[in-house]
Amino acid sequence: MTTDPMTPDQVVTDPMATDPVVTNPMTACDRLFQEAFDALPLMAILRGFDAQRTVEVSRRAWEAGIRLVEVPVQSDAAVVALEAAVAAGEERGAVVGAGTVTTLDRVEQAVAAGARFTVAPGFSREIAEASLAAGLPHLPGVATATEIQQAQALGLNWLKAFPAADLGSGWITSMAGPFPTARFVATGGMGLKNTLEFLDAGAAAVSLGSALADPAQFERLPELIEHIDRKAQR
């Protein structure tokens, strides 16, 4: 699966604005996230690990069936960890992205490291456009209706609901009404105990961090995946 940058047929000029807006309902962003989360609506976030541990937990996630791994790039060591995860992912055709992409420098670091997508804790048009221009699908963080509207104006329908545990699962349900095409990835304070609650509330996916790094929680991950699969078959 490739993540091609937006092509001319995906962008048209809005006569009421000077900036191009995305009008194609299925963008490169949509395809990457949709295909991965159709397989299993879980994403791994590996924050604060060294390169070796990042690769170890990434492989654990892939073996469990998780398609997308996010490595936040908040330090030089984190960039090295991202590079290691990207290399390990390439060996098995797995997709690794860069998280906490909050500056243009971090967009450039993500590109240089070979990341296949970017994630941010909040919405920034500048960061989103830079990621898309580099051919990287972008998952921006949103916590308000205003941020959702701004992100969707750029054609971004997959959005990171952050911080999800603080927002509550009811936030997902409430936002689905006015924004039916938005697909929320619940992130922040998510674990095995509340994943099903957020999926039942309408989240399209959930990002897990400590649940993958903690051996005790990871042992229970197959049980969670079994519940998810059963619900999907109903």
Side-chain angles (χ1 to χ4, degrees):
M1 179 178 64
T2 60
T3 54
D4 299 328
M6 291 184 294
T7 54
D9 67 320
Q10 293 174 302
V11 180
V12 298
T13 299
D14 182 347
M16 301 299 292
T18 58
D19 296 326
V21 295
V22 180
T23 58
N24 191 320
M26 179 59 78
T27 66
C29 294
D30 292 325
R31 286 195 300 272
L32 180 115
F33 296 124
Q34 187 75 54
E35 291 175 8
F37 292 135
D38 276 350
L40 181 65
L42 298 176
M43 182 164 75
I45 302 178
L46 309 184
R47 184 189 303 276
F49 301 134
D50 62 21
Q52 181 177 349
R53 180 68 168 154
T54 297
V55 170
E56 176 188 332
V57 181
S58 293
R59 287 174 174 156
R60 179 182 295 176
W62 296 325
E63 289 167 3
I66 295 174
R67 298 286 188 90
L68 300 184
V69 166
E70 172 196 338
V71 181
V73 287
Q74 294 171 276
S75 66
D76 292 341
V79 174
V80 173
L82 171 61
E83 293 170 345
V86 167
E90 288 176 347
E91 294 176 359
R92 58 188 300 158
V95 178
V96 178
T100 318
V101 178
T102 55
T103 67
L104 294 178
D105 285 344
R106 289 184 180 177
V107 174
E108 293 176 359
Q109 288 176 323
V111 173
R116 294 276 300 279
F117 62 94
T118 58
V119 183
F123 173 76
S124 163
R125 181 178 181 125
E126 180 181 51
I127 300 303
E129 290 183 329
S131 293
L132 296 176
L136 300 183
H138 185 60
L139 186 69
V142 297
T144 67
T146 298
E147 291 169 335
I148 296 171
Q149 282 187 226
Q150 291 173 337
Q152 288 200 311
L154 290 181
L156 301 177
N157 292 313
W158 282 90
L159 309 169
K160 169 180 170 177
F162 179 79
D166 292 330
L167 291 171
S169 59
W171 183 92
I172 302 287
T173 305
S174 296
M175 292 302 175
F179 303 107
T181 60
R183 299 292 178 263
F184 297 109
V185 181
T187 308
M190 304 304 300
L192 301 187
K193 291 183 178 180
N194 57 1
T195 290
L196 290 178
E197 174 191 343
F198 275 77
L199 291 176
D200 288 344
V206 169
S207 293
L208 298 175
S210 60
L212 299 176
D214 179 5
Q217 289 194 69
F218 184 76
E219 287 181 1
R220 297 168 48 214
L221 184 59
E223 181 181 345
L224 172 63
I225 293 174
E226 183 179 348
H227 279 296
I228 293 173
D229 288 341
R230 282 205 302 266
K231 286 180 176 292
Q233 293 169 6
R234 291 176 184 173

Short mmCIF file of all heavy atoms in Angstrom, two decimals, residues 148-177:
data_model
loop_
_atom_site.label_atom_id
_atom_site.label_comp_id
_atom_site.label_asym_id
_atom_site.label_seq_id
_atom_site.Cartn_x
_atom_site.Cartn_y
_atom_site.Cartn_z
N ILE A 148 -12.56 20.78 14.49
CA ILE A 148 -13.04 19.78 13.52
C ILE A 148 -13.37 20.45 12.19
O ILE A 148 -12.99 19.96 11.12
CB ILE A 148 -14.28 19.06 14.07
CG1 ILE A 148 -13.93 18.26 15.33
CG2 ILE A 148 -14.87 18.12 13.00
CD1 ILE A 148 -15.14 17.70 16.05
N GLN A 149 -14.07 21.59 12.24
CA GLN A 149 -14.40 22.30 11.00
C GLN A 149 -13.15 22.73 10.25
O GLN A 149 -13.07 22.60 9.02
CB GLN A 149 -15.24 23.54 11.33
CG GLN A 149 -16.69 23.26 11.64
CD GLN A 149 -17.49 24.54 11.79
OE1 GLN A 149 -18.26 24.67 12.73
NE2 GLN A 149 -17.34 25.47 10.88
N GLN A 150 -12.17 23.24 10.97
CA GLN A 150 -10.94 23.70 10.33
C GLN A 150 -10.19 22.54 9.68
O GLN A 150 -9.66 22.68 8.58
CB GLN A 150 -10.06 24.40 11.36
CG GLN A 150 -10.63 25.72 11.85
CD GLN A 150 -9.83 26.31 13.00
OE1 GLN A 150 -9.14 25.60 13.72
NE2 GLN A 150 -9.92 27.62 13.18
N ALA A 151 -10.14 21.42 10.36
CA ALA A 151 -9.45 20.26 9.80
C ALA A 151 -10.17 19.72 8.58
O ALA A 151 -9.55 19.40 7.55
CB ALA A 151 -9.33 19.17 10.87
N GLN A 152 -11.49 19.64 8.66
CA GLN A 152 -12.25 19.11 7.53
C GLN A 152 -12.20 20.03 6.33
O GLN A 152 -12.34 19.59 5.18
CB GLN A 152 -13.69 18.82 7.94
CG GLN A 152 -13.80 17.61 8.86
CD GLN A 152 -15.19 17.01 8.88
OE1 GLN A 152 -16.18 17.72 9.05
NE2 GLN A 152 -15.27 15.69 8.73
N ALA A 153 -11.99 21.32 6.56
CA ALA A 153 -11.85 22.27 5.45
C ALA A 153 -10.62 21.94 4.61
O ALA A 153 -10.55 22.31 3.44
CB ALA A 153 -11.76 23.70 5.97
N LEU A 154 -9.66 21.24 5.21
CA LEU A 154 -8.46 20.81 4.48
C LEU A 154 -8.61 19.40 3.93
O LEU A 154 -7.66 18.84 3.38
CB LEU A 154 -7.23 20.87 5.40
CG LEU A 154 -6.74 22.25 5.80
CD1 LEU A 154 -5.49 22.11 6.68
CD2 LEU A 154 -6.43 23.10 4.58
N GLY A 155 -9.80 18.81 4.10
CA GLY A 155 -10.01 17.46 3.61
C GLY A 155 -9.59 16.39 4.60
O GLY A 155 -9.49 15.22 4.23
N LEU A 156 -9.35 16.78 5.85
CA LEU A 156 -8.93 15.81 6.86
C LEU A 156 -10.15 15.29 7.61
O LEU A 156 -10.73 15.98 8.45
CB LEU A 156 -7.95 16.46 7.84
CG LEU A 156 -6.68 17.04 7.22
CD1 LEU A 156 -5.83 17.73 8.28
CD2 LEU A 156 -5.87 15.93 6.53
N ASN A 157 -10.55 14.07 7.29
CA ASN A 157 -11.72 13.48 7.94
C ASN A 157 -11.33 12.57 9.10
O ASN A 157 -12.15 12.31 9.98
CB ASN A 157 -12.55 12.70 6.92
CG ASN A 157 -13.21 13.62 5.91
OD1 ASN A 157 -13.82 14.62 6.28
ND2 ASN A 157 -13.11 13.29 4.64
N TRP A 158 -10.10 12.06 9.09
CA TRP A 158 -9.62 11.27 10.21
C TRP A 158 -8.96 12.22 11.20
O TRP A 158 -8.02 12.93 10.86
CB TRP A 158 -8.64 10.20 9.72
CG TRP A 158 -9.35 9.04 9.10
CD1 TRP A 158 -9.69 8.90 7.80
CD2 TRP A 158 -9.84 7.89 9.78
NE1 TRP A 158 -10.38 7.72 7.61
CE2 TRP A 158 -10.48 7.08 8.82
CE3 TRP A 158 -9.81 7.46 11.11
CZ2 TRP A 158 -11.08 5.86 9.14
CZ3 TRP A 158 -10.41 6.24 11.44
CH2 TRP A 158 -11.04 5.45 10.46
N LEU A 159 -9.48 12.22 12.42
CA LEU A 159 -9.07 13.20 13.42
C LEU A 159 -8.77 12.50 14.74
O LEU A 159 -9.43 11.53 15.12
CB LEU A 159 -10.18 14.23 13.62
CG LEU A 159 -10.72 14.89 12.34
CD1 LEU A 159 -11.98 15.68 12.64
CD2 LEU A 159 -9.66 15.77 11.71
N LYS A 160 -7.79 13.02 15.44
CA LYS A 160 -7.39 12.49 16.74
C LYS A 160 -8.16 13.21 17.84
O LYS A 160 -7.96 14.40 18.06
CB LYS A 160 -5.89 12.68 16.91
CG LYS A 160 -5.32 12.43 18.29
CD LYS A 160 -3.82 12.68 18.27
CE LYS A 160 -3.22 12.68 19.66
NZ LYS A 160 -1.75 12.86 19.61
N ALA A 161 -9.08 12.51 18.50
CA ALA A 161 -9.82 13.09 19.62
C ALA A 161 -8.90 13.07 20.83
O ALA A 161 -8.61 12.01 21.38
CB ALA A 161 -11.08 12.29 19.89
N PHE A 162 -8.44 14.26 21.24
CA PHE A 162 -7.42 14.33 22.28
C PHE A 162 -7.66 15.53 23.20
O PHE A 162 -7.93 16.63 22.72
CB PHE A 162 -6.04 14.46 21.63
CG PHE A 162 -4.91 14.56 22.61
CD1 PHE A 162 -4.42 13.42 23.23
CD2 PHE A 162 -4.35 15.78 22.93
CE1 PHE A 162 -3.38 13.51 24.15
CE2 PHE A 162 -3.32 15.89 23.85
CZ PHE A 162 -2.83 14.74 24.46
N PRO A 163 -7.57 15.30 24.53
CA PRO A 163 -7.31 14.04 25.23
C PRO A 163 -8.62 13.28 25.46
O PRO A 163 -9.51 13.75 26.17
CB PRO A 163 -6.68 14.49 26.55
CG PRO A 163 -7.28 15.85 26.79
CD PRO A 163 -7.54 16.46 25.43
N ALA A 164 -8.74 12.12 24.89
CA ALA A 164 -10.01 11.41 24.83
C ALA A 164 -10.59 11.09 26.20
O ALA A 164 -11.79 11.27 26.44
CB ALA A 164 -9.84 10.13 24.01
N ALA A 165 -9.76 10.59 27.11
CA ALA A 165 -10.29 10.22 28.43
C ALA A 165 -10.87 11.42 29.16
O ALA A 165 -11.86 11.31 29.87
CB ALA A 165 -9.20 9.56 29.26
N ASP A 166 -10.25 12.59 28.97
CA ASP A 166 -10.76 13.80 29.60
C ASP A 166 -12.02 14.32 28.90
O ASP A 166 -12.94 14.84 29.54
CB ASP A 166 -9.69 14.90 29.60
CG ASP A 166 -8.53 14.57 30.53
OD1 ASP A 166 -8.75 13.88 31.53
OD2 ASP A 166 -7.40 14.98 30.23
N LEU A 167 -12.04 14.19 27.57
CA LEU A 167 -13.22 14.61 26.83
C LEU A 167 -14.41 13.72 27.15
O LEU A 167 -15.56 14.19 27.22
CB LEU A 167 -12.94 14.57 25.32
CG LEU A 167 -11.94 15.58 24.77
CD1 LEU A 167 -11.61 15.26 23.32
CD2 LEU A 167 -12.47 16.99 24.90
N GLY A 168 -14.16 12.44 27.32
CA GLY A 168 -15.22 11.47 27.61
C GLY A 168 -15.80 10.87 26.34
O GLY A 168 -15.79 11.50 25.27
N SER A 169 -16.30 9.66 26.45
CA SER A 169 -16.85 8.98 25.27
C SER A 169 -18.07 9.70 24.73
O SER A 169 -18.37 9.63 23.54
CB SER A 169 -17.19 7.53 25.61
OG SER A 169 -18.14 7.47 26.68
N GLY A 170 -18.79 10.43 25.59
CA GLY A 170 -19.96 11.17 25.13
C GLY A 170 -19.61 12.25 24.14
O GLY A 170 -20.45 12.63 23.30
N TRP A 171 -18.39 12.77 24.21
CA TRP A 171 -17.94 13.79 23.25
C TRP A 171 -17.95 13.21 21.84
O TRP A 171 -18.37 13.89 20.89
CB TRP A 171 -16.54 14.26 23.62
CG TRP A 171 -15.98 15.36 22.77
CD1 TRP A 171 -16.06 16.69 22.99
CD2 TRP A 171 -15.22 15.22 21.55
NE1 TRP A 171 -15.41 17.40 22.00
CE2 TRP A 171 -14.88 16.51 21.10
CE3 TRP A 171 -14.79 14.11 20.81
CZ2 TRP A 171 -14.15 16.73 19.95
CZ3 TRP A 171 -14.06 14.33 19.64
CH2 TRP A 171 -13.74 15.64 19.23
N ILE A 172 -17.51 11.97 21.70
CA ILE A 172 -17.51 11.31 20.39
C ILE A 172 -18.91 11.25 19.83
O ILE A 172 -19.17 11.60 18.67
CB ILE A 172 -16.93 9.88 20.50
CG1 ILE A 172 -15.50 9.89 21.08
CG2 ILE A 172 -16.98 9.18 19.15
CD1 ILE A 172 -14.44 10.40 20.18
N THR A 173 -19.84 10.81 20.64
CA THR A 173 -21.23 10.70 20.21
C THR A 173 -21.81 12.06 19.83
O THR A 173 -22.50 12.20 18.81
CB THR A 173 -22.08 10.06 21.32
OG1 THR A 173 -21.52 8.81 21.71
CG2 THR A 173 -23.51 9.84 20.85
N SER A 174 -21.52 13.07 20.65
CA SER A 174 -22.05 14.40 20.39
C SER A 174 -21.54 14.98 19.08
O SER A 174 -22.28 15.62 18.33
CB SER A 174 -21.69 15.34 21.55
OG SER A 174 -22.31 14.93 22.75
N MET A 175 -20.26 14.80 18.79
CA MET A 175 -19.66 15.37 17.59
C MET A 175 -20.05 14.62 16.32
O MET A 175 -19.96 15.16 15.21
CB MET A 175 -18.14 15.40 17.72
CG MET A 175 -17.64 16.38 18.76
SD MET A 175 -18.20 18.08 18.43
CE MET A 175 -17.59 18.93 19.89
N ALA A 176 -20.50 13.38 16.47
CA ALA A 176 -20.90 12.61 15.28
C ALA A 176 -22.13 13.20 14.61
O ALA A 176 -22.31 13.05 13.40
CB ALA A 176 -21.17 11.16 15.68
N GLY A 177 -22.97 13.90 15.39
CA GLY A 177 -24.17 14.49 14.80
C GLY A 177 -23.86 15.58 13.80
O GLY A 177 -24.21 15.47 12.62
#
